[in-house]
Amino acid sequence: MNKRFIQTIGAGMLAVVLAFGSIQPSASAEEVNAITVIESTQELVNGKMTVSFDVRNGGSGTQAGFVVVGYDENGKAIEVIGDSAYLMSNEIETFEVALESGSKIKEVKVLPAAAAGSQAVLLESGTRTEKDGILVSGAVQNATEGRQVGMLAVGYDANGKAIEVKSASSYQIGGEVATYEIQLKAVNQIKSVKVTVIDSKEDAVKLLQTGSRVENGKLIITGTIHNRNEGGRVGVIIVGSNSSGKVLEVNTTTGYLIGNEIANFEAKLESGKAISGVKVFLTGSSQTPKIIAEGRTRINNKLVVTIGIENGVKSQRITVKSTAYDAKGRSLGSDTDKVYMLANETTTLRIDYDSRVSSVKLKYYDEAGKEIGAEPIRIKINGQLQSYAQAPVMVNGNILVPMRPIFESLQAPVKWDQKTQTVTSTKGSTNIKLKMGSKQAVVNGKTVTLDIAPRSVRGTTMVPLRFVADALGSEVKWDKNEQMVLITTK
């Protein structure tokens, strides 16, 4: 953007005012003490729409912002430029900007920004289709205090599904107006775009938005992360499952983000259309190594295993021991794979087996030879540690617990119908029904969809812990580092 400041003092400016009349429109006392656009012109120059205009500050010295919006013949905003400058009381400054869309622009509006508030705001945004994708432009005005802010663009398909996510950000001083441009690649799939401002003071790592689309037979997942107030390594693990909930493929991305940084990520899953569900996990805070997810699929008739690993606070080598079996369950021998990981790094380990291998069993070890993931998941209810004959298990990020012990521990009598494979429990006015192998539960007559269906583990009927506890009115917290679920009844 080309911004030109034209300083005019004394008789020259007076002559212009006398020749063309007052350049100040009639205004109330309230309007005089505001930022106003008092004159603008536009012309097509070298294929670009050049817009010149004057901005006046009618109040005390302040950061004065503006936004220029170009519209096509249908009245759609296709290009936006915003900027600002410090103006003293009653100062007038002349700006000039060039809109790249040129002759496609049929109308131009130049709008002043209001006084900055406590949060950053998106003043205007526009989208236009170009050869290499969809270009999203927007003007963001920061709050009164300088900080890292940005703009998020989400592209949706015809069904309203988010298929591509990308952001842009920078440090803006208090009250500053800045222009952001974001290019979305999925030009043939995106039917609408939503643009929002990114401005958060939370001391946490946040996953702002994700989107996924199939492209060239692969599933492309994009997203944006907002880091905490201090720098640190942040990882993303993407888990793709089929319609039955089986994890087919895992992929990861990781990097060091500075304090308050806003970052984009992109990952690919080769299973493509076979994946019907995607979960995204943020990592980077574990004290010890963790195996977040395992994916198993067949590519070119060969078993491929992908493993999402999050390391702890110590850089070390992680070892994976795999024992392979053929279709008849006969052992084909064992092998090991190793990967060196930095502290708090997240990575994907991929193992390709030959066509004889039908299934594998995996074990993981840290550098000291201690098995990773061997620590059992523990449960505390109102501070009391629980003990079950069949230990709780983690499946695709969901914890399953023995049916009868968990209901009875939460003071909810339970009935099991062997014929229909149905669990029924009533506590006070709450009635719950669960069916083995079904993700459809019923709570007080209303159907609820579960993340995971009840199932049998080593002959024990296991049910999803969080659903049961939530349905019975209990508060549930997960302590990842301790591998412990903390439940408080009400």
Side-chain angles (χ1 to χ4, degrees):
M1 178 180 69
N2 177 28
K3 182 183 78 172
R4 187 182 68 225
F5 170 50
I6 303 174
Q7 187 176 14
T8 51
I9 302 175
M13 182 61 184
L14 181 61
V16 172
V17 174
L18 291 176
F20 293 94
S22 174
I23 61 175
Q24 300 183 34
S26 59
S28 64
E30 182 179 359
E31 289 174 330
V32 169
N33 295 319
I35 304 301
T36 55
V37 176
I38 53 180
E39 186 176 2
S40 67
T41 61
Q42 64 192 65
E43 62 176 328
L44 198 61
V45 179
N46 296 325
K48 299 179 181 180
M49 185 63 71
T50 301
V51 185
S52 301
F53 52 95
D54 297 330
V55 176
R56 179 181 185 274
N57 176 22
S60 57
T62 187
Q63 192 74 20
F66 66 84
V67 58
V68 179
V69 187
Y71 300 86
D72 65 12
E73 58 187 3
N74 298 315
K76 175 191 173 186
I78 59 173
E79 189 171 354
V80 171
I81 293 179
D83 204 350
S84 58
Y86 188 88
L87 299 186
M88 296 183 293
S89 177
N90 295 317
E91 183 178 4
I92 297 172
E93 182 171 352
T94 298
F95 294 86
E96 182 178 288
V97 301
L99 299 173
E100 300 287 338
S101 300
S103 61
K104 294 179 181 178
I105 294 175
K106 304 305 179 184
E107 181 186 3
V108 174
K109 290 184 180 179
V110 184
L111 308 169
S118 59
Q119 288 287 113
V121 294
L122 178 69
L123 298 178
E124 295 285 344
S125 66
T127 60
R128 63 185 189 273
T129 301
E130 297 190 338
K131 181 180 179 181
D132 298 327
I134 296 176
L135 192 61
V136 183
S137 56
V140 173
Q141 181 183 29
N142 190 24
T144 54
E145 296 180 1
R147 56 177 175 262
Q148 191 82 12
V149 296
M151 187 177 81
L152 180 72
V154 183
Y156 298 87
D157 66 11
N159 298 316
K161 176 180 176 291
I163 60 173
E164 188 173 3
V165 177
K166 200 171 183 182
S167 66
S169 63
S170 67
Y171 184 89
Q172 292 182 220
I173 63 174
E176 181 185 6
V177 176
T179 302
Y180 293 98
E181 287 193 347
I182 297 170
Q183 188 176 61
L184 300 177
K185 300 177 184 177
V187 60
N188 295 324
Q189 298 183 47
I190 293 175
K191 301 304 178 184
S192 63
V193 177
K194 182 179 180 181
V195 185
T196 55
V197 70
I198 304 172
D199 182 17
S200 174
K201 298 181 180 180
E202 295 182 25
D203 186 17
V205 184
K206 296 181 67 177
L207 180 65
L208 299 180
Q209 179 78 43
T210 62
S212 61
R213 67 187 188 276
V214 176
E215 194 172 278
N216 297 324
K218 299 179 181 180
L219 186 66
I220 311 296
I221 298 96
T222 55
T224 296
I225 305 168
H226 194 174
N227 192 28
R228 59 172 74 85
N229 289 330
E230 60 181 28
R233 187 170 290 278
V234 178
V236 180
I237 292 185
I238 299 97
V239 181
S241 304
N242 64 13
S243 57
S244 300
K246 177 188 175 184
V247 177
L248 299 181
E249 192 173 350
V250 178
N251 204 348
T252 62
T253 180
T254 187
Y256 187 93
L257 301 186
I258 63 174
N260 289 315
E261 185 176 356
I262 299 166
N264 299 308
F265 68 85
E266 180 174 314
K268 296 179 181 179
L269 299 179
E270 292 187 29
S271 300
K273 291 183 178 180
I275 295 174
S276 60
V278 173
K279 288 186 178 180
V280 180
F281 302 91
L282 291 183
T283 63
S285 60
S286 179
Q287 299 297 305
T288 58
K290 304 290 184 186
I291 307 303
I292 305 300
E294 294 177 1
R296 304 183 188 214
T297 189
R298 302 199 77 85
I299 298 176
N300 297 325
N301 201 33
K302 294 181 179 181
L303 178 64
V304 176
V305 175
T306 47
I307 308 155
I309 307 173
E310 176 187 7
N311 192 21
V313 294
K314 174 188 174 184
S315 297
Q316 61 183 308
R317 191 177 303 279
I318 304 297
T319 300
V320 182
K321 179 182 178 181
S322 63
T323 303
Y325 300 86
D326 65 15
K328 295 183 178 181
R330 294 174 298 197
S331 175
L332 297 174
S334 299
D335 201 357
T336 58
D337 291 89
K338 299 179 178 65
V339 57
Y340 183 83
M341 299 182 67
L342 299 174
N344 293 123
E345 183 181 4
T346 301
T347 193
T348 306
L349 180 61
R350 171 172 168 158
I351 306 174
D352 291 65
Y353 297 88
D354 64 41
S355 57
R356 298 175 301 156
V357 177
S358 178
S359 63
V360 294
K361 289 184 179 179
L362 304 174
K363 287 189 175 183
Y364 307 90
Y365 301 91
D366 64 14
E367 201 162 67
K370 181 182 178 182
E371 186 175 352
I372 300 170
E375 302 91 344
I377 297 170
R378 296 175 295 166
I379 297 173
K380 277 187 178 180
I381 299 178
N382 296 329
Q384 183 68 40
L385 187 64
Q386 305 297 300
S387 178
Y388 304 138
Q390 167 60 52
V393 295
M394 179 83 76
V395 181
N396 299 337
N398 298 278
I399 297 174
L400 296 173
V401 293
M403 170 196 67
R404 190 170 297 279
I406 188 60
F407 276 104
E408 292 178 350
S409 297
L410 296 173
Q411 293 84 49
V414 63
K415 294 181 181 180
W416 167 250
D417 188 324
Q418 179 66 30
K419 184 178 180 179
T420 62
Q421 297 282 290
T422 301
V423 180
T424 304
S425 179
T426 301
K427 180 181 180 181
S429 60
T430 302
N431 180 268
I432 302 171
K433 287 186 179 181
L434 293 163
K435 186 177 177 63
M436 287 287 286
S438 174
K439 287 187 177 183
Q440 302 302 311
V442 178
V443 180
N444 295 333
K446 294 183 179 179
T447 301
V448 178
T449 301
L450 307 175
D451 290 332
I452 189 169
R455 64 183 62 185
S456 178
V457 176
R458 300 182 184 93
T460 301
T461 301
M462 307 285 279
V463 294
L465 172 61
R466 179 168 290 277
F467 164 76
V468 172
D470 285 344
L472 293 174
S474 298
E475 181 182 345
V476 183
K477 293 183 179 179
W478 168 243
D479 187 329
K480 184 178 179 181
N481 292 327
E482 295 295 329
Q483 289 288 98
M484 183 178 293
V485 181
L486 304 174
I487 300 176
T488 304
T489 60
K490 296 179 182 180

